Amino acid sequence: MGNQDLAKKIIELIGGKENIHSVAHCATRLRIIIVDKDKINSDEIENLDKVKGSFFNSGQFQIILGTGLVNKVYDEVMILLGDNIQSQTPIKKEGNRFQRSVRIFGDVFVPIIPVLVATGLFMGLRGLLTQESVLALLGLTPDSIPKELLLFTQILTDTAFAFLPALVCWSTFRIFGGNPVLGIVLGLMLVNPVLPNAYEVGQQAADPLVFFGFIKVVGYQGSVLPAFITGIVGAKIEKFLKTKIPDSLDLILTPFLTLLFGITLALFVIGPIFHEVELLVLYAVQFLLELPFGIGGLIYGSFGQLLGIFGIHHILNFLEINMLSQTGWNMLNPIGTCGNMAQAGAVLAVGIKTFSPKMKQIAYPASLSATLGITEPAVFGVNLRLVKPFVMSMIGGGVGGFLASILQLKATGMALTGIPGTLLYLNNQLPLYILVNVVAFSVSFVLTYTIGYKPVETGNQKQVNKISNSSIMPQVVNVKDEMLYAPVTGKVMDLSEVNDPVFSKKLMGDGFAVTPSDGQIVAPVAGTVSMVQGHAVGLNRTDGLEVLVHLGIDTVSLKGAPFSNKVKVGDFVNGGDPIAMVDWKKVTDAGLATTTMVVITNTNDKLDSLDFHTGEATDGACIGVAKAK
């Protein structure tokens, strides 16, 4: 599927152009603000070629595509949307105020990150070229480097941070509906050369300007929060003026008054207040990371991985930008990278241990992606669904972060992690960077492989644990043609827990049930399709067991509306092959339960024993065995 076709399908499956309010993207995800999220067909989107996953968070539907591809698909989406980019339909406010604020914060900083990535790489390369050990290989010394070359490298490394307020104001104006050009000019005013340089004032090499005898005014080179607040206020001033000033005077008065009021408030109110707030936040983070015995690194390395799940990880952009602009170093990057590598280790362990072909297909590419800094496929596709592997990755990330803190690792830039992140450590830190990442990966891998994921696989035999009451009884069995697979992602439970006496009393036969969390239904056994009735699919296993997959309770009354069968009578399917899709929302809207049952209808005649796991499972994952007589 080409990028244009993929963009067309995405627009179609999220409810069409009229359901899109706005579109943006970050390094790995297409971020779409939706008018009505109930129109999204997330299951079909996740089945699209090149799509690694999707989720809804804080009012945004986020589609994981990966670096490089997301830019190309975004461009195609924007071409297809044309003038429809801003829907006039009012959107529902999703998430609490804090979540929405963090989302806006992320939208402001995402467009700036590529520039800061490039600047970080320039800083790393300059550090590499000026190292005595590197120069010695060429028979040179630091004195051999021409001053003009050093000046050129300084232009590459200092420009973005010197004019950072202009970038922040531009992006903020854009997000809040103002004229981005006015934002650029307002940001440039904050770093005008007539203002004392903030760095020099901080080092007491220059004095601030004093107005009215008590207001100290400086330039805000490298500052983020004052520029962000100034951008918000400036955009709101402009929008207010446009509602009050006649159209005939708009071109003259609106930009004039916006810049006048904006810079006055910025220099005399916003700047002095929020620059101090910015420094306090920076000091607090540095205090945490500099706690003795690596405690700060342990805490952030362990729990920092939760930020992405709750959709508040973009707040880190502000912290990293502040660190780089104020100190020239990024202390968060090496610890955060350990978390990413730990996710890679955990998902690789799952991929090696699982005997679900579908899980292997997800896990191996997800592990590689995580080592390249793209963790969404690993987190949302495998580790978080299985829970324990995610916990093991938190432990691995904490151990790596602890070590990074002890070794005082610091990056020269931001936004690059894992293997690409080595470019931010092109100095004497590189061996240590590799060490901490190997440790994080290894700890997470070993913990997941040994205690964080069941069942295990050994040759042609698989160990399946039967959970009975509160005891666990391991039993090694030959599972060829006897394996049971989870028919849908969700929570596996005993039939006795089903809220329907026909199933809970096992009147139709023994089996298990799943409370589904997505709409894809797969075959729980390998066999021939014997019956297809929309809400139910029958399978005959080669050993004589007759298996019924019943989708929901009392759903026969829906006359097949929510169900889309993927097989027909006579087809042969392997365990884990797709057999149906279900729109569970239609089921719940009808007041019916979504519980999906797998019942062996000839239990009395053919079933010898039934062993299976309870708890969370991914569709296609082997959860047990059923032996025929």
Side-chain angles (χ1 to χ4, degrees), residues 179-437:
N179 183 340
V181 176
L182 290 179
I184 291 176
V185 175
L186 194 55
L188 289 173
M189 287 180 175
L190 292 174
V191 294
N192 192 293
V194 302
L195 296 173
N197 187 290
Y199 298 125
E200 294 179 356
V201 172
Q203 297 170 358
Q204 297 183 340
D207 295 323
L209 300 177
V210 180
F211 287 79
F212 311 113
F214 69 97
I215 300 178
K216 296 180 180 180
V217 174
V218 299
Y220 292 98
Q221 291 82 358
S223 195
V224 176
L225 196 53
F228 177 64
I229 302 300
T230 297
I232 295 174
V233 172
K236 289 186 177 297
I237 289 174
E238 182 193 6
K239 292 173 70 175
F240 172 78
L241 291 173
K242 282 184 175 294
T243 64
K244 302 299 181 183
I245 294 176
D247 292 341
S248 58
L249 298 176
D250 178 69
L251 180 63
I252 300 173
L253 291 181
T254 299
F256 171 76
L257 294 175
T258 298
L259 293 175
L260 176 62
F261 293 147
I263 193 60
T264 301
L265 290 171
L267 291 181
F268 298 126
V269 181
I270 296 172
I273 293 174
F274 285 95
H275 184 56
E276 293 301 319
V277 173
E278 184 177 62
L279 292 177
L280 285 174
V281 172
L282 181 62
Y283 292 151
V285 174
Q286 287 180 323
F287 173 79
L288 171 66
L289 297 180
E290 293 173 355
L291 287 173
F293 312 114
I295 295 174
L298 177 65
I299 295 173
Y300 178 58
S302 298
F303 297 100
Q305 299 175 62
L306 296 173
L307 297 179
I309 298 173
F310 295 119
I312 58 175
H313 57 294
H314 285 297
I315 203 166
L316 298 177
N317 295 337
F318 160 70
L319 298 174
E320 291 182 276
I321 292 170
N322 258 289
M323 284 184 178
L324 286 166
S325 63
Q326 300 292 333
T327 68
W329 298 101
N330 182 351
M331 298 168 64
L332 288 172
N333 180 273
I335 302 173
T337 294
C338 290
N340 292 353
M341 295 301 289
Q343 292 289 345
V347 76
L348 179 61
V350 171
I352 292 174
K353 285 188 66 174
T354 184
F355 40 88
S356 165
K358 180 177 179 180
M359 181 68 80
K360 287 183 182 292
Q361 291 173 2
I362 297 173
Y364 287 134
S367 179
L368 176 61
S369 295
T371 64
L372 299 176
I374 305 168
T375 58
E376 289 89 348
V379 172
F380 295 104
V382 179
N383 294 343
L384 193 59
R385 287 186 177 184
L386 299 176
V387 181
K388 281 188 178 180
F390 188 83
V391 174
M392 299 305 113
S393 71
M394 290 178 64
I395 295 173
V399 173
F402 164 79
L403 193 57
S405 183
I406 289 289
L407 297 174
Q408 298 184 341
L409 278 179
K410 296 178 288 186
T412 60
M414 60 180 290
L416 293 178
T417 60
I419 295 173
T422 56
L423 296 172
L424 304 181
Y425 300 85
L426 295 177
N427 47 40
N428 54 10
Q429 295 186 107
L430 184 56
L432 300 178
Y433 175 79
I434 295 173
L435 171 65
V436 299
N437 281 285

Side-chain angles (χ1 to χ4, degrees), residues 27-43:
T28 61
R29 306 175 218 173
L30 194 65
R31 297 166 170 268
I32 307 171
I33 296 181
I34 301 296
V35 176
D36 183 359
K37 73 175 182 179
D38 292 335
K39 295 181 179 180
I40 300 172
N41 190 336
S42 57
D43 293 324

Side-chain angles (χ1 to χ4, degrees), residues 434-503:
I434 295 173
L435 171 65
V436 299
N437 281 285
V438 169
V439 169
F441 181 96
S442 301
V443 169
S444 179
F445 177 88
V446 171
L447 289 176
T448 302
Y449 195 89
T450 54
I451 63 175
Y453 179 67
K454 302 290 182 182
V456 298
E457 180 176 359
T458 308
N460 292 325
Q461 292 185 324
K462 298 174 178 65
Q463 177 176 302
V464 180
N465 293 334
K466 177 183 178 183
I467 302 179
S468 176
N469 297 324
S470 60
S471 62
I472 298 179
M473 301 172 59
Q475 177 185 12
V476 177
V477 295
N478 189 329
V479 296
K480 184 178 181 181
D481 298 327
E482 298 179 346
M483 294 165 59
L484 290 175
Y485 301 89
V488 62
T489 298
K491 184 178 180 181
V492 180
M493 58 186 177
D494 192 89
L495 278 183
S496 61
E497 300 180 51
V498 175
N499 188 25
D500 185 320
V502 173
F503 295 106

Side-chain angles (χ1 to χ4, degrees), residues 570-614:
D571 288 347
F572 180 84
V573 293
N574 292 305
D577 287 349
I579 58 174
M581 290 292 298
V582 184
D583 185 345
W584 292 118
K585 185 176 184 302
K586 290 182 179 179
V587 175
T588 55
D589 286 348
L592 302 177
T594 61
T595 310
T596 294
M597 284 65 64
V598 175
V599 181
I600 300 169
T601 55
N602 57 349
T603 292
N604 294 334
D605 297 331
K606 285 289 186 180
L607 184 64
D608 179 56
S609 65
L610 175 66
D611 298 328
F612 61 89
H613 282 293
T614 58

